[in-house]
Amino acid sequence: MYGKGILKGLGVTLKRFVNTYLEDIKWLGKRYYTAEGIAHRSSKNANGIFTIQYPEEKLPVPEEFRYIPFLVFDEGEDGAEIIRCTSCGICAKVCPPQCIWIVRSNDPKTGRPIPDPAEFVIDVDICMNCGLCAEYCPFDAIKMDHDYEIASYGRTVFDKEQLMKSATYYDEIRPINNSIEEAARKAKEEAKAAMAAARAEKAAKAAEEN
Amino acid sequence: MVTPAQAPTLDLVTRFPEGVVADEREGYEGYLVAADKLVEVATALRDEFGFDYLSSVSGVDYIAEEMLEVVYHAYKTIGGPGLVFKVQVARKKAEVPSLMDVYPGVDFQEREAWDLMGINFLGHPDLRRILLWEGFEGHPLRKDWKEAYYEADVKPFKSRWPEGNFFRSEEKATYQANVQYPDKFDPEKWVPEGEDALYGALAKYEDVDNTGLKTDHITINLGPQHPSTHGVFRIATILDGETIVSLKPVMGYLHRNHEKIGERNTYLQNMPFTDRLDYLSSMSNNFGYALAVEKLMNIEVPERAEYIRVIMAEMTRVQNHLFAIGMFLNDIGAFFTPSLYAIEERELVLDIFEIVSGSRMMCNYFRFGGLARDLPAGSLEMIKGLAFERLPRRVDEMDRFLSDNEILRSRCVGQGVLSAEDAIKYAAAGPMLRASGVPYDIRRADPYSIYDRFDFDVAVRYNGDIYDRYIIRMDEIRQSLRIIQQAVEQIPEGPIQTGKPQYQVRVPAGEAYGRVEGPKGELGFYVVSDGKPNPYRYHVRAPSFINLTAFGPMCTGLKIADVVAVLGSIDIVLGETDR
Amino acid sequence: MENKDLNSPGYEIPDDIKGSVSITSIDRIYNWGRRSSIWPLMFGLACCAIEMICTAASRYDFSRFGMEVMRPSPRQADMMLVSGTVTKKMAPTIVRLYNQMPEPKYVVAMGACASGGGPFKEGYSVVSGVDKLIPVDVYIPGCPPTPQALINGLIKLQELIDTQSIKKVRWYQKGELAAVPIPILGPDLIYQRDIPAISDAKKEA
């Protein structure tokens, strides 16, 4: 029969239309603006209306999500910001579009280079959000941010001031990664301490023998 | 199912004692053919040895040796490994006979090599610039050509570290922009070359019809800004009434210098750039590039990583085909509803990509010898949920929705036919080739990674019309889901990376061609290494680009309204077409 | 906009007609009308266009902001969403499209490429940001911006529209608005403003 295919297709749209209301009844007002509702609408069982009502409700950001990089600082006891970056330059070298600029700094007294970067600039209008800088940073100092709400009325270039974010913030957005890295750092420090202890012992022994 | 053929027992050197020698450079393979023998050798390869499918043409500029090389990769459509043959010519007089008469599929690729490398293909009927515009100064992929923002031959740039003082490239450039002009250029006397060459290349028809009435040619341009061209793509046609007499695709509106930038990048830095080739299927692009470089480095990938790679590549195929179907139906007049349904399912796949790799579209997930990171907890369950429960149901629904629709059928069945012979001739790849009745799928014909372990069918349809090209994508989604279902059941525990992750890989000198069956067709990466941290030559065999070769012949004789349907059924992505 | 924002304070409305009378300024109602029906130009350049399509599709659905009417013709569009890399070959077309759009018109640069050239900036045929060609109102960083980031940018555009005053907007000023000169494809892209400088350079050489 001519038109059977068309009717079959219209059946699909009708089913979808009805499904939305059936889902609404099933959830009784909890479908929107609740965490479960959003999770359900993004799951394999999602049915009916699919829309996330941004900005009132937002999709949860997965841990690995990457946007613009930021620099992690540890909080010192008196609120001092201790930057983790040692300006080793690996991020700048690995960056595919070369959007990271790092100025190294010198100790004012000795004139020797010190690890603290004097300036750290990321041209956000070049950055391709690839995450290689964060992946290969040996000091866990540069990480990918989750904040995507940064539209502005001008071009965007982030300097060191704007890039700095606390380790607490990092732990908030990437708890699993942070705990793994912290454990690795701890193990490294312990190994270092053990080695130093062993060396001291050896030296002491050597002194004793002499 | 195609059984892979035995390794070719051919010896080109014995067949052609004069003019052919084996390529004996360290790390290189194949044969070197003298330029004057090229057409003869190619004809013999096609007719005597059965290499009927010339997949890729790449130019390489060996500036130290003062020569240009054209590298051809030929395959058999009955399967099996390929054959590489090369032609070397002097840089100053770069002239190579065109293979248009033997393999018409080289059409755009030769034009590309002319445009970017300045290799003149003698006998090519329409050797115009293809990615840049007529009048552009120079051939940018030559090693001695430098752009306005040129900083250094290779990355990383010293200005970023240790110097590190921030500047914008335009601040340092003359005219504060990314432009440069030849020394004697006078803008006031400049007459743009315009489009005469393009319109001249279109075939004309008889001006006087049989009643003696004088008629005029109608030239119609679609694009580059047109809702149905899937991006910035342009079609120039000559019409007789409403019927297409001649059609030429015009591209390059998204030419982003992928290869020039790629030769400056380190090997790893190219990985995120490949994401942006075919931006709908970044995982597949990563796969192809990783294969090519791993071939050069000669390293193995751990078992678990192989499984994850296959799962991700097949998920990519699913979401790419969903998008392609949705947009195709959109083009054909089922305005937006089917694409909304398709994008809904695609979003769920993208969620998985985002959880696994960190980005919805630009995954940058593969590394040489493994992956960037393991699957996060819970993601395998999500993949299972989609592959076993949701997607099979939703694909069936999509199929029920419009496949039997009488209006759709009357527009698609029997229209825009590409015969099997033509498909091979024009080097069409992927769903386009298989919809024409050629069951050629690299996953079966020349298996890579671990595809030989899975039980799946090569989807094939036989009519080669628009409808078959639409329906074969449904078939392929179902086969991909089968592969994913097997892979998630079998996936072992274990490491996901060979050796330590490193940002500077050591790649021995040589050449490699890595190819995968991408969602659009054969995606190949031809990489030449000279042992340095950056690839010496990096060429992409882009399926969207080469599939368009058959576009003109397919459309000739159709009505203008069908062009959009034919283009939709080819499924191009401009990022890959123009690179 | 909420009703309370639209109602201009400063005028007391008697209790008996509250709810049926509303007092507002012309600016507010004018901007409210415009910001609630921004019609984008259906215009995709590159990767970001896919995210733009996803934003238009059912999950993010920017028709909630009155933007669902994507116009393929520039004559009917209010906003040009430059979604992707602007190449030199495309530059004349983009300027032409911009010139064809009627006032009031806005340009949103979506993603790194449109904002400043992006990862392809160093390439020989890429324009370093669409603001080299036409004025841009909102920049959205990201490569590509996720659909939520795009909507965030579009909300920024709405906020920009809210601040405009009918007395000062450029399209109600006296005199004709000059069209943006279309760049020419020469041996490289020629911006018309640069022509004298290029001629001088030639004479010096």
Side-chain angles (χ1 to χ4, degrees):
Chain A
M1 189 190 83
Y2 192 85
K4 206 173 144 198
I6 295 174
L7 287 176
K8 217 159 89 183
L10 288 175
V12 173
T13 40
L14 181 68
K15 197 176 142 219
R16 290 221 171 203
F17 175 76
V18 174
N19 265 344
T20 295
Y21 294 99
L22 289 181
E23 283 287 301
D24 277 355
I25 294 166
K26 216 153 95 192
W27 282 75
L28 275 179
K30 288 201 187 113
R31 195 161 140 71
Y32 301 99
Y33 312 113
T34 60
E36 312 91 74
I38 296 171
H40 176 73
R41 268 177 287 150
S42 318
S43 73
K44 65 180 191 327
N45 300 321
N47 226 340
I49 275 194
F50 195 58
T51 310
I52 302 295
Q53 309 280 343
Y54 182 90
E56 288 83 12
E57 53 179 25
K58 289 174 187 172
L59 273 177
V61 180
E63 168 142 1
E64 291 300 340
F65 179 76
R66 47 191 150 83
Y67 216 62
I68 309 295
F70 69 95
L71 293 172
V72 186
F73 67 79
D74 292 309
E75 286 123 315
E77 274 161 25
D78 49 350
E81 299 182 354
I82 308 161
I83 191 168
R84 286 184 184 174
C85 176
T86 63
S87 60
C88 70
I90 287 180
C91 52
K93 281 186 249 174
V94 81
C95 174
Q98 298 282 295
C99 68
I100 302 179
W101 278 260
I102 307 171
V103 181
R104 294 181 296 179
S105 60
N106 293 328
D107 194 308
K109 282 178 208 151
T110 60
R112 289 235 188 94
I114 50 169
D116 198 12
E119 188 50 279
F120 198 109
V121 178
I122 292 179
D123 190 340
V124 178
D125 291 335
I126 296 181
C127 175
M128 71 201 294
N129 308 165
C130 66
L132 289 184
C133 49
E135 203 175 315
Y136 291 98
C137 177
F139 303 101
D140 303 320
I142 187 165
K143 291 290 163 195
M144 302 305 282
D145 206 347
H146 282 183
D147 183 16
Y148 50 83
E149 292 168 320
I150 48 172
S152 62
Y153 300 121
R155 285 199 181 191
T156 323
V157 175
F158 283 165
D159 60 14
K160 190 173 150 196
E161 196 72 6
Q162 287 157 297
L163 287 168
M164 294 265 271
K165 288 189 177 172
S166 72
T168 331
Y169 172 77
Y170 175 54
D171 187 51
E172 258 164 46
I173 61 169
R174 290 173 193 259
I176 299 173
N177 275 319
N178 191 35
S179 60
I180 294 171
E181 285 159 13
E182 234 156 47
R185 269 203 304 276
K186 219 173 181 183
K188 218 171 169 184
E189 259 165 40
E190 270 165 19
K192 223 176 174 180
M195 232 155 84
R199 209 176 294 137
E201 206 173 302
K202 215 173 164 187
K205 232 179 208 173
E208 226 167 74
E209 273 167 24
N210 287 337
Chain B
M1 188 185 132
V2 182
T3 39
Q6 293 299 306
T9 50
L10 85 162
D11 189 0
L12 266 186
V13 184
T14 336
R15 172 73 177 75
F16 293 99
E18 281 166 46
V20 178
V21 289
D23 189 349
E24 275 159 356
R25 286 172 290 178
E26 181 76 43
Y28 286 71
E29 54 170 341
Y31 300 94
L32 294 174
V33 181
D36 52 342
K37 287 272 181 193
L38 180 65
V39 177
E40 198 186 324
V41 171
T43 316
L45 275 177
R46 186 190 63 181
D47 299 339
E48 292 171 31
F49 298 101
F51 286 95
D52 49 355
Y53 188 83
L54 189 76
S55 112
S56 157
V57 180
S58 337
V60 191
D61 180 11
Y62 289 103
I63 191 163
E65 284 99 48
E66 273 297 313
M67 72 177 181
L68 288 163
E69 186 175 273
V70 186
V71 186
Y72 299 89
H73 289 89
Y75 290 91
K76 297 175 179 176
T77 46
I78 54 167
L83 179 99
V84 191
F85 59 102
K86 301 156 192 176
V87 177
Q88 295 180 335
V89 286
R91 239 168 142 260
K92 293 218 175 75
K93 192 167 176 286
E95 285 175 349
V96 177
S98 167
L99 287 185
M100 272 294 276
D101 294 333
V102 191
Y103 298 109
V106 300
D107 184 355
F108 288 178
Q109 304 188 63
E110 289 189 345
R111 278 178 65 191
E112 185 200 330
W114 158 245
D115 188 358
L116 303 181
M117 275 277 179
I119 300 168
N120 189 2
F121 289 90
L122 301 172
H124 190 289
D126 184 23
L127 200 64
R128 283 178 292 120
R129 284 195 181 263
I130 185 163
L131 296 179
L132 294 161
W133 58 93
E134 289 297 325
F136 186 83
E137 177 75 18
H139 301 286
L141 276 187
R142 289 208 175 191
K143 289 281 175 189
D144 51 359
W145 194 94
K146 294 189 169 70
E147 56 271 77
Y149 282 173
Y150 175 82
E151 261 199 76
D153 269 337
V154 290
K155 286 178 187 171
F157 297 145
K158 290 271 177 297
S159 59
R160 308 302 200 265
W161 188 91
E163 286 163 31
N165 287 313
F166 173 72
F167 64 91
R168 284 207 169 97
S169 303
E170 47 263 58
E171 289 161 13
K172 291 201 170 176
T174 16
Y175 311 115
Q176 270 71 57
N178 186 10
V179 289
Q180 60 185 1
Y181 308 99
D183 286 344
K184 286 177 190 145
F185 175 66
D186 186 351
E188 273 145 34
K189 288 197 188 125
W190 170 257
V191 185
E193 308 236 346
E195 318 266 60
D196 294 350
L198 164 67
Y199 297 133
L202 290 165
K204 303 288 189 299
Y205 57 93
E206 205 46 49
D207 275 28
V208 181
D209 70 356
N210 50 13
T211 56
L213 193 69
K214 248 185 104 70
T215 55
D216 209 355
H217 302 131
I218 310 170
T219 313
I220 293 270
N221 274 294
L222 259 91
Q225 205 284 115
H226 188 279
S228 295
T229 51
H230 294 221
V232 281
F233 178 66
R234 176 173 158 207
I235 305 162
T237 63
I238 290 262
L239 299 184
D240 178 7
E242 251 191 280
T243 311
I244 288 159
V245 177
S246 175
L247 179 147
K248 290 264 177 198
V250 187
M251 45 199 128
Y253 293 98
L254 191 55
H255 180 46
R256 302 192 279 197
N257 331 127
H258 189 87
E259 289 171 13
K260 186 87 179 172
I261 295 176
E263 283 162 24
R264 194 175 294 134
N265 285 345
T266 63
Y267 284 93
L268 180 70
Q269 284 174 346
N270 268 337
M271 193 59 86
F273 275 97
T274 61
D275 290 338
R276 286 151 181 85
L277 273 172
D278 172 356
Y279 33 77
L280 282 172
S281 37
S282 59
M283 291 279 195
S284 281
N285 305 343
N286 283 184
F287 205 165
Y289 179 61
L291 275 186
V293 178
E294 279 159 10
K295 226 178 187 175
L296 269 173
M297 292 168 68
N298 202 8
I299 49 170
E300 294 289 318
V301 180
E303 196 82 335
R304 183 176 172 82
E306 291 276 25
Y307 274 94
I308 299 175
R309 281 180 172 197
V310 167
I311 294 172
M312 290 303 150
E314 294 309 314
M315 296 279 268
T316 303
R317 196 183 315 279
V318 170
Q319 59 89 7
N320 175 77
H321 282 353
L322 280 168
F323 199 81
I325 291 171
M327 284 299 142
F328 163 72
L329 293 170
N330 203 8
D331 288 345
I332 219 153
F335 195 67
F336 243 104
T337 313
S339 56
L340 287 181
Y341 290 0
I343 290 172
E344 215 173 288
E345 307 312 315
R346 181 175 177 262
E347 285 287 337
L348 294 176
V349 179
L350 292 191
D351 277 355
I352 289 172
F353 287 170
E354 195 175 24
I355 286 172
V356 171
S357 77
S359 180
R360 289 155 49 88
M361 280 169 71
M362 307 306 177
C363 300
N364 183 21
Y365 185 50
F366 290 36
R367 296 287 177 271
F368 310 125
L371 299 164
R373 62 186 75 79
D374 205 343
L375 293 176
S379 52
L380 206 60
E381 271 52 55
M382 287 180 75
I383 297 172
K384 278 184 185 162
L386 284 188
F388 283 102
E389 295 171 42
R390 184 173 175 104
L391 286 173
R393 213 170 58 221
R394 291 301 170 125
V395 172
D396 287 346
E397 188 192 75
M398 200 73 193
D399 208 1
R400 202 162 60 240
F401 185 33
L402 278 170
S403 296
D404 289 337
N405 187 302
E406 283 80 2
I407 302 167
L408 179 99
R409 289 186 74 103
S410 64
R411 273 204 75 180
C412 297
V413 175
Q415 297 288 327
V417 177
L418 184 70
S419 70
E421 295 76 33
D422 281 353
I424 295 171
K425 205 170 81 180
Y426 290 120
M432 200 167 151
L433 184 65
R434 292 190 286 274
S436 295
V438 185
Y440 183 73
D441 187 323
I442 302 169
R443 291 174 293 172
R444 270 269 187 268
D446 188 9
Y448 54 93
S449 186
I450 50 164
Y451 274 108
D452 46 0
R453 297 186 195 172
F454 300 112
D455 181 25
F456 69 100
D457 300 320
V458 174
V460 63
R461 296 266 165 170
Y462 297 95
N463 299 321
D465 56 4
I466 299 176
Y467 188 75
D468 275 10
R469 282 196 289 277
Y470 152 71
I471 211 84
I472 198 164
R473 295 206 159 87
M474 299 272 193
D475 301 344
E476 288 199 1
I477 294 177
R478 295 196 177 104
Q479 296 304 331
S480 288
L481 290 175
R482 263 177 84 184
I483 298 176
I484 299 170
Q485 288 169 357
Q486 293 168 48
V488 291
E489 299 277 279
Q490 294 168 14
I491 183 167
E493 289 296 323
I496 44 102
Q497 173 81 36
T498 310
K500 257 179 121 181
Q502 46 185 331
Y503 63 91
Q504 196 73 280
V505 290
R506 287 182 63 85
V507 182
E511 60 167 4
Y513 182 66
R515 55 176 197 154
V516 291
E517 184 67 40
K520 310 272 191 306
E522 178 183 336
L523 174 70
F525 288 86
Y526 178 68
V527 183
V528 177
S529 163
D530 56 356
K532 297 212 179 89
N534 315 72
Y536 183 77
R537 176 78 174 103
Y538 164 75
H539 180 254
V540 186
R541 187 231 187 252
S544 308
F545 176 63
I546 296 164
N547 282 354
L548 280 171
T549 318
F551 182 45
M554 262 156 74
C555 288
T556 312
L558 293 182
K559 296 276 187 279
I560 182 80
D562 294 325
V563 169
V564 170
V566 174
L567 185 69
S569 75
I570 297 177
D571 179 25
I572 56 165
V573 159
L574 266 299
E576 190 178 64
T577 308
D578 296 341
R579 283 155 291 152
Chain C
M1 203 185 287
E2 296 291 316
N3 211 29
K4 63 176 172 15
D5 295 330
L6 190 61
N7 276 323
S8 177
Y11 293 96
E12 278 300 314
I13 303 172
D15 278 343
D16 48 338
I17 53 169
K18 228 175 207 171
S20 50
V21 168
S22 183
I23 300 174
T24 185
S25 69
I26 288 184
D27 268 348
R28 282 192 185 197
I29 195 134
Y30 175 71
N31 288 338
W32 172 78
R34 288 188 311 125
R35 59 113 72 185
S36 312
S37 63
I38 305 172
W39 290 7
L41 178 64
M42 193 190 257
F43 174 63
L45 284 174
C47 331
C48 289
I50 307 293
E51 289 295 50
M52 180 184 77
I53 294 169
C54 289
T55 313
S58 48
R59 193 180 213 176
Y60 303 99
D61 189 20
F62 66 15
S63 64
R64 294 179 292 125
F65 302 87
M67 295 177 186
E68 77 273 34
V69 200
M70 287 246 219
R71 305 316 294 184
S73 161
R75 304 277 184 207
Q76 301 161 343
D78 303 306
M79 185 236 316
M80 184 191 242
L81 192 59
V82 186
S83 52
T85 320
V86 181
T87 61
K88 290 177 184 171
K89 198 170 177 178
M90 194 63 193
T93 315
I94 289 176
V95 175
R96 207 167 282 142
L97 284 169
Y98 178 76
N99 285 341
Q100 285 173 359
M101 281 167 67
E103 292 279 5
K105 57 188 169 188
Y106 300 93
V107 177
V108 175
M110 174 184 183
C113 291
S115 306
F120 299 97
K121 182 172 183 173
E122 60 192 286
Y124 49 85
S125 80
V126 174
V127 176
S128 330
V130 73
D131 53 3
K132 296 261 172 237
L133 301 167
I134 51 178
V136 174
D137 297 288
V138 176
Y139 296 78
I140 308 172
C143 187
T146 59
Q148 298 191 33
L150 172 60
I151 296 178
N152 179 257
L154 295 174
I155 292 171
K156 277 261 158 55
L157 176 68
Q158 291 188 325
E159 284 166 10
L160 176 83
I161 292 174
D162 283 339
T163 61
Q164 290 181 319
S165 163
I166 205 163
K167 275 188 285 188
K168 289 183 196 147
V169 289
R170 65 174 181 269
W171 50 92
Y172 287 135
Q173 306 304 312
K174 275 193 187 133
E176 214 157 275
L177 287 167
V180 179
I182 294 167
I184 303 161
L185 288 176
D188 207 326
L189 190 72
I190 307 168
Y191 298 99
Q192 290 199 19
R193 56 170 184 269
D194 286 345
I195 289 181
I198 303 168
S199 303
D200 291 348
K202 187 221 156 204
K203 267 165 216 153
E204 273 165 37

